[in-house]
Amino acid sequence: DSMLERMFNGDLPVKRDPQGHVFIDRDGHHFAHVLCYLRDRAGWTPPSDADTLAALYNEAEYFILLGMQERIEETLRSKQ
């Protein structure tokens, strides 16, 4: 299970702001890619920039998104 799934099914504690919104303290730009991946795993295309891929790999690792990690690894291998 991904970290997000575990957060929202009650297995992990969730931080909330004063209005009750869930607070996830991660880079918003990179988190947008995480959300795109979760919305459409098959249709998500990893970016081509190596630095961005490295940062996204860290995000995928943090959120335990193994499929996203694999897609990033495949993209990095194809660049070699």
Side-chain angles (χ1 to χ4, degrees), residues 21-40:
H21 302 121
V22 173
F23 178 74
I24 299 174
D25 190 15
R26 304 300 291 179
D27 182 286
H29 176 73
H30 296 110
F31 190 68
H33 284 278
V34 170
L35 290 178
C36 287
Y37 171 78
L38 291 171
R39 288 180 183 132
D40 184 9

Side-chain angles (χ1 to χ4, degrees), residues 53-66:
L53 285 170
L56 289 178
Y57 189 88
N58 289 336
E59 294 300 300
E61 191 172 49
Y62 177 82
F63 287 112
I64 313 171
L65 297 170
L66 302 179

Side-chain angles (χ1 to χ4, degrees), residues 43-56:
W44 178 73
T45 303
S48 58
D49 176 67
D51 290 336
T52 303
L53 285 170
L56 289 178

Side-chain angles (χ1 to χ4, degrees), residues 7-8 26 28 31 62 68 72:
M7 286 171 64
F8 289 100
R26 304 300 291 179
F31 190 68
Y62 177 82
M68 186 176 183
I72 293 168

Side-chain angles (χ1 to χ4, degrees), residues 2 6 8 12 33 37 42 50 52 57 60 77-79:
S2 74
R6 293 177 60 208
F8 289 100
L12 291 175
H33 284 278
Y37 171 78
T52 303
Y57 189 88
R77 277 194 301 272
S78 72
K79 293 177 139 317

